[in-house]
């Protein structure tokens, strides 16, 4: 990190006179005292515990200074009214100082995958950094910025939201030159109340953009009221500015063409929605003058963040399609469509394990039961349900599927049948089978996948 203590103090408007301390070179900033290394600046945040309680530990681990909201004895410190706001201000300044181009990505589905795809394309031509893991909120985004390598030219930042205004804050901080909205779905509907409010929140990604910025957004009419007047806008979808053609899907790959690239694109992942994500990433690459052969090559070797439409193998040889990082009705329908169209293994069955989708609000049960239209005994041999809000869907499915082909396991405050779920799957699964896992991360289906791989 190319920052000094005095420079940081000036940027954040320190409330104390830091000239009494040496103008130290700051190697990095950490808010976890256990991760502190020599030369770091400590950032005490207030959460379940007050980070100020760990200032002594941070210095013992090698910190040379700390932010603080109160006076610190015996150590160099930068006094501020709010450590988080100071952190965000510093990240905003650092992006400008390092003259890094920002590509921002948000959406109810596909934002992490699209971020990964964009970064994979950009790294062929530029020094590129991207959001690591799920560091996409008011703490994670500035953390990402302040941890990018010194030589970074392009940074791809994922932006998440739990409440209205979250994306606006992140956009103002990052000032993106290119902004991408992948899809408006039902994620976090519990906090927003409607898709319209979700759309409003996602479209605030444009709030920090300059007039020369480019917005890439879906053709969904729900966002029309929130489109900016002062940016170039590229809409994607059938007969729009950019669109897919000649899409072919197999068990573990996709091939497609676009209306703006000459040749075909091949992806080593499945799911038609991933073709859309790759098309968006390809267009970003074209905007940034990356050669078409470089775009195609990067996507053909793509490696996605784990548990997102990922094929794995059970120890008995069965094929596992793991998509358990998160879930909402749109994502559930899309993965069921993909799984249903994939050819079965010879002599094998298709089994779907579906768990609760969280944060859907007061209509959660209804939104679960509406998924019955995506379930058919013509496409699936067996369906296994796990959760509480999904119980009514399980009941409907039991009336549609043959006897013995639908299983339901509870997860309530009083009873959790997780162990029974695992034993049921282990008993059912045969080497020739294909099994899909889909549910919200908190339902712990990833643990079932791990157990099948290790069993």
């Amino acid at each position: 990190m190319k920052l000094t203590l005095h420079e940081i103090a000036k940027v954040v408007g320190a409330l104390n006179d830091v000239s009494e301390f040496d103008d130290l070179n700051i190697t990095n900033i950490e808010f976890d005292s256990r991760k502190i290394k020599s030369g770091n600046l400590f950032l005490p945040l207030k959460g379940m515990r007050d980070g100020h309680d760990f200032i002594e530990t941070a210095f013992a681990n090698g910190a040379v200074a700390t932010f603080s909201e109160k006076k610190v004895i015996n150590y160099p410190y930068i006094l501020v009214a709010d450590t988080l706001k100071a952190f965000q201000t510093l990240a905003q300044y650092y992006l400008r100082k390092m003259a890094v181009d920002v590509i921002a990505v948000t959406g109810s589905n596909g934002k992490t995958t699209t971020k990964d795809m964009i970064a994979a394309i950009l790294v062929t031509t530029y020094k590129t950094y991207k959001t690591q893991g799920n560091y996409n909120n008011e703490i994670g985004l500035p953390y990402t910025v302040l941890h990018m390598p010194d030589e970074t030219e392009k940074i791809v930042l994922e932006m998440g939201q739990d409440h209205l205004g979250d994306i606006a804050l992140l956009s103002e901080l990052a000032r993106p030159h290119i902004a991408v909205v992948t899809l408006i779905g039902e994620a976090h509907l519990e906090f927003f109340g409607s898709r319209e409010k979700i759309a409003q929140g996602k479209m605030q990604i444009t709030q920090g953009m300059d007039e020369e910025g480019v917005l890439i957004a879906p053709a969904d009419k729900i966002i029309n009221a929130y489109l900016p007047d002062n940016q170039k806008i590229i809409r994607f979808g059938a007969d729009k500015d950019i669109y897919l053609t000649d899409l072919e899907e197999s068990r573990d790959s996709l091939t497609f063409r676009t209306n703006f690239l000459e040749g075909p694109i091949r992806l080593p992942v499945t799911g038609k929605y991933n073709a859309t994500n790759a098309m968006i990433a390809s267009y970003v690459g074209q905007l940034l003058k990356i050669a078409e052969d470089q775009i195609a090559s990067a996507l053909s070797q793509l490696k996605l963040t784990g548990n997102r439409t990922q094929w794995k193998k059970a120890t008995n040889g069965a094929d596992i399609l793991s998509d358990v990082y998160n879930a909402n009705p749109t994502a559930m329908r899309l993965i069921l469509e993909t799984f249903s169209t994939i050819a079965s293994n010879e002599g094998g069955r298709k089994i779907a394990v579906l768990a609760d989708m969280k944060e859907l609000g007061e209509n959660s049960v209804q939104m679960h039961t509406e998924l019955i239209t995506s379930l058919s005994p013509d496409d699936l041999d067996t369906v296994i349900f796990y959760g509480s809000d999904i119980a009514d869907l399980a009941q409907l499915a039991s009336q549609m599927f043959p006897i013995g082909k639908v299983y339901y396991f509870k997860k309530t405050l009083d009873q959790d049948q997780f162990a029974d779920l695992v034993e049921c799957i282990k008993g059912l699964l045969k080497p020739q089978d294909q099994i899909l896992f889909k549910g919200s991360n908190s339902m712990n289906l990833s643990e079932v996948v791990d157990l099948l791989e290790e069993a």
Side-chain angles (χ1 to χ4, degrees), residues 429-444:
L429 196 62
K430 298 178 180 179
Q432 299 84 12
D433 292 340
Q434 295 173 332
I435 185 167
L436 165 69
F437 288 87
K438 183 66 176 176
S440 284
N441 191 38
S442 61
M443 298 302 292
N444 299 322

Side-chain angles (χ1 to χ4, degrees), residues 329-345:
T330 299
M332 190 78 84
R333 289 189 185 93
L334 288 170
I335 194 62
L336 283 168
E337 177 187 358
T338 290
F339 189 60
S340 296
T341 56
I342 293 170
S344 299
N345 296 329

Side-chain angles (χ1 to χ4, degrees), residues 103 117-118 121-122 124-126 154 177-178 214 216 232 234 241-243 258-263 265 278-296 299:
I103 299 90
M117 291 175 171
I118 293 172
I121 291 171
L122 297 190
T124 65
T125 307
Y126 303 101
K154 313 287 184 187
H177 179 65
I178 298 174
V214 179
I216 303 172
K232 180 179 180 180
I234 301 296
D241 299 310
I242 59 175
Y243 54 85
T258 72
N259 65 316
F260 57 88
L261 295 176
E262 291 186 9
I265 297 293
M279 175 189 68
I280 295 168
S282 299
Y283 190 76
V284 171
Q286 190 176 74
L287 286 175
L288 295 174
K289 311 300 183 186
I290 296 177
E292 182 174 333
D293 62 334
Q294 297 276 48
I295 293 173
L299 291 175

Side-chain angles (χ1 to χ4, degrees), residues 68-95:
S68 181
E69 295 176 11
K70 52 191 175 184
K71 186 176 180 179
V72 177
I73 306 296
N74 299 328
Y75 297 113
Y77 71 103
I78 299 172
L79 183 65
V80 294
D82 186 315
T83 55
L84 176 56
K85 288 183 178 178
F87 186 47
Q88 294 166 346
T89 299
L90 182 60
Q92 184 180 51
Y93 165 80
Y94 198 58
L95 278 174

Side-chain angles (χ1 to χ4, degrees), residues 267-319:
L267 285 175
V269 296
T270 192
K272 294 178 181 178
Y273 45 90
N274 278 324
T276 299
N277 297 334
M279 175 189 68
I280 295 168
S282 299
Y283 190 76
V284 171
Q286 190 176 74
L287 286 175
L288 295 174
K289 311 300 183 186
I290 296 177
E292 182 174 333
D293 62 334
Q294 297 276 48
I295 293 173
S297 177
L299 291 175
S300 70
Q301 302 171 62
L302 182 70
K303 295 187 185 301
L304 295 179
T305 301
N307 285 324
R308 289 166 171 83
T309 323
Q310 185 177 18
W311 282 103
K312 300 185 175 185
K313 274 283 186 186
T315 52
N316 72 347
D319 294 316

Side-chain angles (χ1 to χ4, degrees), residues 94-234:
Y94 198 58
L95 278 174
R96 304 291 84 74
K97 175 177 179 173
M98 303 304 289
V100 177
D101 285 337
V102 176
I103 299 90
V105 183
T106 194
S108 300
N109 300 99
K111 57 182 177 290
T112 299
T113 298
T114 304
K115 171 209 72 181
D116 288 343
M117 291 175 171
I118 293 172
I121 291 171
L122 297 190
V123 78
T124 65
T125 307
Y126 303 101
K127 299 292 185 181
T128 303
Y129 193 61
K130 66 178 181 179
T131 299
Q132 305 296 302
N134 63 345
Y135 274 37
N136 62 10
N137 63 7
E138 74 280 4
I139 298 173
L141 189 142
Y143 184 90
T144 300
V145 167
L146 291 167
H147 281 72
M148 66 181 176
D150 291 346
E151 68 273 13
T152 302
E153 298 172 291
K154 313 287 184 187
I155 188 167
V156 189
L157 295 174
E158 181 179 325
M159 295 183 176
Q161 69 172 8
D162 289 329
H163 302 88
L164 190 64
D166 289 349
I167 300 290
L169 170 68
L170 300 179
S171 180
E172 291 284 359
L173 191 162
R175 301 285 183 184
H177 179 65
I178 298 174
V180 172
V181 179
T182 61
L183 184 146
I184 305 298
E186 306 88 355
H188 308 303
L189 191 59
E190 178 181 4
F191 305 124
F192 286 85
S194 67
R195 269 189 84 232
E196 287 75 14
K197 283 294 184 183
I198 293 172
Q200 182 183 355
K202 293 295 185 184
M203 292 303 294
Q204 288 179 343
I205 196 171
T206 66
Q207 195 156 313
M209 294 177 69
D210 58 56
E211 292 186 2
E212 296 179 357
V214 179
L215 169 68
I216 303 172
D220 194 336
K221 293 180 181 178
I222 202 168
I223 69 172
N224 289 351
Y226 308 110
L227 292 173
D229 297 324
N230 60 341
Q231 265 103 35
K232 180 179 180 180
I233 302 171
I234 301 296

Side-chain angles (χ1 to χ4, degrees), residues 237-419:
D239 301 321
K240 296 300 179 181
D241 299 310
I242 59 175
Y243 54 85
L244 296 167
T245 64
D246 303 326
L247 175 62
E248 296 181 9
E249 184 176 18
S250 66
R251 192 187 82 93
D252 53 8
S253 67
L254 294 163
T255 303
F256 65 90
R257 290 179 179 270
T258 72
N259 65 316
F260 57 88
L261 295 176
E262 291 186 9
I265 297 293
R266 182 188 177 280
L267 285 175
V269 296
T270 192
K272 294 178 181 178
Y273 45 90
N274 278 324
T276 299
N277 297 334
M279 175 189 68
I280 295 168
S282 299
Y283 190 76
V284 171
Q286 190 176 74
L287 286 175
L288 295 174
K289 311 300 183 186
I290 296 177
E292 182 174 333
D293 62 334
Q294 297 276 48
I295 293 173
S297 177
L299 291 175
S300 70
Q301 302 171 62
L302 182 70
K303 295 187 185 301
L304 295 179
T305 301
N307 285 324
R308 289 166 171 83
T309 323
Q310 185 177 18
W311 282 103
K312 300 185 175 185
K313 274 283 186 186
T315 52
N316 72 347
D319 294 316
I320 302 170
L321 183 55
S322 175
D323 193 4
V324 296
Y325 181 76
N326 218 334
N328 57 56
T330 299
M332 190 78 84
R333 289 189 185 93
L334 288 170
I335 194 62
L336 283 168
E337 177 187 358
T338 290
F339 189 60
S340 296
T341 56
I342 293 170
S344 299
N345 296 329
E346 185 176 351
R349 303 165 299 168
K350 285 187 178 179
I351 302 170
V353 181
L354 309 178
D356 277 359
M357 303 173 287
K358 297 299 186 180
E359 299 179 355
L360 294 181
E362 60 184 15
N363 295 320
S364 179
V365 172
Q366 176 185 339
M367 297 177 78
H368 279 79
T369 53
E370 287 172 353
L371 289 172
I372 192 65
T373 57
S374 296
L375 301 176
S376 169
D378 294 333
D379 302 319
L380 301 170
D381 178 85
T382 301
V383 189
I384 302 171
F385 299 94
Y386 173 55
S388 55
D389 287 0
I390 209 167
D392 286 1
L393 175 61
Q395 179 62 34
L396 285 175
S398 68
Q399 299 169 18
M400 177 190 299
F401 283 73
I403 294 174
K405 298 298 183 180
V406 174
Y407 297 79
Y408 169 65
F409 297 92
K410 291 182 180 180
K411 180 178 172 60
T412 64
L413 292 175
D414 300 326
Q415 188 177 13
D416 187 351
Q417 296 179 316
F418 183 81

